[in-house]
């Protein structure tokens, strides 16, 4: 028989945004931290990332995660986030989905006395702690405390194709975001305008990466701008805003975004428009559901005033796969059509 590699995968969506959870089939080396695990995957198994994220198994907007063993006793598991182009340091919509899937499949620590299962994740951006609410019949939601979020620079002039010169705030929320308010009457955030925001986001990202050196003050491996967020007022009266996050090669986050909600709260807090302890609702591209965000407290990161963000949302299980990865099939390793 042929010597083959099989991968076990769980598929979810969080308000329309997919997560491909790779939870079996990769023999991780013993020892090393989460950055060592990422380097191992990049050097030896990057074809798995492209095979699952790109066609024929994936699609342009597919997003995923390698669920890894923990590196130390302080964590329950590791998360290494991926798309068709690269590894990503942190993902909120996926943390919501992965946490719920782990509880649903008995992969998480048992619930504590308050009825919540708590999962301490190791990520390349820092420790992320999830709380998952479930009962005997259903897993209901995830609330997670993200890594600290902070504003690095405000009011950066950028040229947004079709809208002219607008202002961007550079914010870290687990990833670096350029956050730009757009006029809702000219370009409302909705699925019909997806192509516009995709092209505009790529243009803004290229401009800012060419003009600025962007690097996390305490995690130097996190550098460069990958996310551009456009936002305007929400469609529901109690929503703080509606937004769309553009990343990598113009991919569009369908959900409100978890690291995006963290970054947005940091931006509002820095402008004295959002106080600690006030819950907010964020809307995404589809508008199908909302995340609830809250600033748990203030902190400091590398000389920057920062917040401790919390984000809550829900996800749905949509399927399973046992993928065969055949080294002799070059097309099966993934392809992109521009």
């Amino acid at each position: 028989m042929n010597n083959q590699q099989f991968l076990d995968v769980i598929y979810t969506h969080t308000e329309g945004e997919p997560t491909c959870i790779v939870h079996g089939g990769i023999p991780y080396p013993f020892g090393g931290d989460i950055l060592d695990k990422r380097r191992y995957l990049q050097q030896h198994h990057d074809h798995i990332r492209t095979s699952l994220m790109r066609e024929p198994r994936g699609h342009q907007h597919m997003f995923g995660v390698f669920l890894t063993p923990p590196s130390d006793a302080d964590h329950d598991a590791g998360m290494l986030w991926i798309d068709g182009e690269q590894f990503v340091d942190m993902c909120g919509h996926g943390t919501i989905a992965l946490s719920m899937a782990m509880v649903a499949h008995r992969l998480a620590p048992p619930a504590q006395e308050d009825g919540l299962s708590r999962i301490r994740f190791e990520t390349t951006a820092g420790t992320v702690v999830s709380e998952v609410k479930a009962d005997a019949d259903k897993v209901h939601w995830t609330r997670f405390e993200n890594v600290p979020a902070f504003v690095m620079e405000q009011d950066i002039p950028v040229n947004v194709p079709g809208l002219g010169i607008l202002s961007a705030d550079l914010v870290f929320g687990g990833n670096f975001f350029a956050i730009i308010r757009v006029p809702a009457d000219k370009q409302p955030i909705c699925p019909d305008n997806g192509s516009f925001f995709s092209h505009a986001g790529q243009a803004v990202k290229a401009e800012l990466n060419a003009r600025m050196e962007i690097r996390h003050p305490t995690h130097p491996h996190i550098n460069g701008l990958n996310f551009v967020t456009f936002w305007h007022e929400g469609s529901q009266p109690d929503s703080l805003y509606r937004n769309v996050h553009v990343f990598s090669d113009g991919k569009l986050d369908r959900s409100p975004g978890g690291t995006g909600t963290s970054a947005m709260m940091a931006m509002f807090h820095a402008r004295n428009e959002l106080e600690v302890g006030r819950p907010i609702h964020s809307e995404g591209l589809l508008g199908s559901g909302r995340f609830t965000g809250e600033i748990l407290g203030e902190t400091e990161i590398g000389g920057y005033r920062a917040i401790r963000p919390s984000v809550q949302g829900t996800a749905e299980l949509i399927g399973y796969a046992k993928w065969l990865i055949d080294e002799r099939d070059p097309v099966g390793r993934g392809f992109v059509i521009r």
Side-chain angles (χ1 to χ4, degrees):
M1 67 177 63
N2 292 327
N3 185 9
Q4 306 285 11
Q5 182 176 20
F6 292 90
L7 299 172
D8 290 313
V9 174
I10 300 170
Y11 285 97
T12 64
H13 84 82
T14 312
E15 305 304 345
E17 181 68 8
T19 304
C20 169
I21 302 169
V22 186
H23 65 95
I26 298 177
Y28 292 95
F30 179 77
D33 62 12
I34 195 69
L35 283 172
D36 292 323
K37 291 182 174 66
R38 184 168 75 176
R39 282 189 287 267
Y40 169 76
L41 290 173
Q42 290 172 323
Q43 294 170 6
H44 301 284
H45 295 288
D46 200 50
H47 66 282
I48 294 177
R49 177 185 62 81
T50 57
S51 295
L52 297 183
M53 297 295 99
R54 298 176 179 178
E55 295 186 64
R57 298 176 184 86
H59 53 77
Q60 182 188 359
H61 298 273
M62 180 59 76
F63 204 84
V65 62
F66 289 104
L67 177 63
T68 78
S71 299
D72 54 47
D74 193 43
H75 297 94
D76 300 301
M79 302 187 292
L80 288 170
W81 298 101
I82 54 173
D83 63 27
E85 276 59 55
Q86 61 195 318
F87 281 78
V88 178
D89 287 294
M90 181 44 198
C91 172
H93 90 266
T95 298
I96 291 169
L98 174 59
S99 302
M100 293 179 68
M102 288 179 67
V103 171
H105 294 85
R106 308 297 191 267
L107 300 175
Q112 300 180 9
E113 292 183 0
D114 60 3
L116 298 177
S117 296
R118 289 179 174 82
I119 312 171
R120 291 183 60 84
F121 287 110
E122 183 183 22
T123 83
T124 58
T127 297
V128 173
V129 182
S130 287
E131 297 179 326
V132 184
K133 175 64 176 177
D135 54 34
D137 299 319
K138 186 176 177 61
V139 183
H140 296 282
W141 48 257
T142 297
R143 178 176 58 230
F144 69 93
E145 181 176 347
N146 196 11
V147 298
F150 60 91
V151 175
M152 180 168 279
E153 190 167 338
Q154 293 178 319
D155 298 322
I156 308 165
V158 292
N159 181 29
V160 180
L163 294 175
I165 302 298
L166 298 176
S167 292
D169 285 4
L170 181 62
V171 187
F172 183 79
N175 304 290
F176 277 111
F177 292 79
I179 301 177
I180 303 169
R181 182 167 189 166
V182 296
D185 58 337
K186 292 185 178 180
Q187 284 295 343
I189 295 169
C190 62
D192 288 345
N193 287 333
S195 294
F196 170 86
F197 287 113
S198 176
H199 294 306
Q202 291 180 83
V204 169
K205 181 171 72 170
E207 177 184 343
L208 291 180
N209 277 324
R211 287 168 47 188
M212 306 175 65
E213 181 178 355
I214 301 169
R215 189 176 299 275
H216 193 282
T218 61
H219 296 300
H221 61 273
I222 303 178
N223 59 84
L225 174 66
N226 189 37
F227 287 75
V228 176
T229 297
F230 298 102
W231 72 279
H232 56 57
E233 58 272 17
S235 58
Q236 301 185 46
D238 60 339
S239 294
L240 185 58
Y241 61 86
R242 183 167 182 158
N243 67 193
V244 59
H245 310 290
V246 186
F247 61 99
S248 293
D249 62 344
K251 303 179 193 305
L252 300 175
D253 191 339
R254 277 71 170 141
S255 80
T259 57
T261 297
S262 301
M264 290 291 290
M265 290 193 295
M267 181 198 71
F268 284 117
H269 184 65
R271 294 182 176 276
N272 297 315
E273 297 175 7
L274 179 63
E275 61 271 20
V276 173
R278 173 192 160 195
I280 63 104
H281 299 299
S282 57
E283 300 177 12
L285 175 64
L286 293 189
S288 60
R290 301 186 294 176
F291 288 172
T292 300
E294 184 178 342
I295 299 174
L296 301 179
E298 297 178 332
T299 185
E300 181 268 340
I301 294 291
Y304 291 95
R305 176 190 178 198
I307 65 166
R308 293 173 45 225
S310 170
V311 182
Q312 179 176 326
T314 189
E316 298 293 337
L317 177 69
I318 58 175
Y320 304 92
K322 182 180 282 291
W323 289 115
L324 166 64
I325 306 297
D326 189 342
E327 294 277 357
R328 301 164 300 176
D329 178 10
V331 174
R333 294 166 74 96
F335 61 87
V336 176
I337 298 177
R338 303 295 181 187

